[in-house]
Amino acid sequence: MIRVIRKILFWSSIGFIGLTIITLTIGQYLPFEFADYKIQNHFYETLIFGLPFAVLLTLFGTLKKLNTKKRNWIYGISTIVLSIICFVSQLFLIFSFGFGVWSTESIIYRHKTDNREIKYQLYDIGAFGYGGKRIVEIKPILKYWILPTTIDTASIDKNEWNLVNEQGDIKIP
């Protein structure tokens, strides 16, 4: 029973590390975004803060009685050092991935037949202000993701869209 639990912890940790690596590398180039910035923040915080613990949990699969004492010490020390490196590097990663989100200033158009919207958005980087602006057509994908596509509002078919001009996430008094 203990052996099964150790294998589950080891392979879950390896899966978590793989998910983290893919998300922080290849995932940054995918055109999809989270629909809600709060979910995005929780997701990245979980990945970044969980990485050192996942590295430590891989000890359950690497330390074995079959290995020599020297090999187990090498695995143990290298895993702890790698975990400390992950812990220190998360301070830099949290500034790269924890901040910066596209905030909707206004919803310009809503599609008449489906739930697409055209929004004017600003890239909110917290205390550093705004880092960019865009007008995008938002297509929801499943429940938690969207596919934003840059669009020129002068070239859309006005018969398919309702002009709404609603205030978005950024509240102007």
Side-chain angles (χ1 to χ4, degrees):
M1 182 67 177
I2 292 175
R3 186 178 177 134
V4 172
I5 293 172
R6 287 175 62 154
K7 280 190 174 189
I8 290 171
L9 282 174
F10 175 74
W11 287 109
S12 298
S13 299
I14 294 295
F16 186 85
I17 292 168
L19 174 69
T20 302
I21 290 170
I22 289 170
T23 301
L24 297 179
T25 56
I26 298 168
Q28 298 303 307
Y29 297 104
L30 295 176
F32 306 105
E33 295 177 4
F34 282 94
D36 184 8
Y37 73 92
K38 292 177 187 175
I39 295 172
Q40 175 186 340
N41 285 344
H42 289 307
F43 178 76
Y44 283 117
E45 286 173 2
T46 301
L47 289 182
I48 291 169
F49 291 127
L51 184 60
F53 300 109
V55 171
L56 278 176
L57 285 175
T58 60
L59 284 174
F60 285 107
T62 54
L63 299 180
K64 298 177 183 173
K65 290 181 182 178
L66 299 174
N67 294 342
T68 63
K69 220 176 199 180
K70 182 180 177 183
R71 177 171 269 183
N72 278 338
W73 274 102
I74 290 171
Y75 285 158
I77 290 171
S78 61
T79 302
I80 290 170
V81 167
L82 184 60
S83 183
I84 290 170
I85 290 170
C86 289
F87 188 74
V88 170
S89 66
Q90 80 183 4
L91 298 173
F92 299 106
L93 286 175
I94 197 67
F95 286 108
S96 299
F97 296 103
F99 299 117
V101 58
W102 286 102
S103 297
T104 301
E105 183 177 279
S106 64
I107 301 169
I108 305 171
Y109 291 100
R110 258 198 202 95
H111 200 267
K112 291 182 178 181
T113 59
D114 57 23
N115 55 358
R116 292 181 291 159
E117 295 177 326
I118 296 177
K119 297 180 177 184
Y120 175 69
Q121 296 182 325
L122 298 173
Y123 191 68
D124 185 2
I125 43 181
F128 301 114
Y130 295 101
K133 56 186 173 183
R134 69 183 185 180
I135 296 177
V136 289
E137 177 183 350
I138 302 293
K139 296 176 188 172
I141 298 174
L142 299 176
K143 182 178 180 180
Y144 298 107
W145 294 280
I146 57 171
L147 179 61
T149 308
T150 304
I151 192 167
D152 180 15
T153 55
S155 65
I156 65 170
D157 183 5
K158 306 280 190 207
N159 295 325
E160 294 181 11
W161 296 89
N162 288 327
L163 179 66
V164 292
N165 276 335
E166 292 179 0
Q167 187 173 353
D169 303 331
I170 301 172
K171 305 298 181 201
I172 300 171

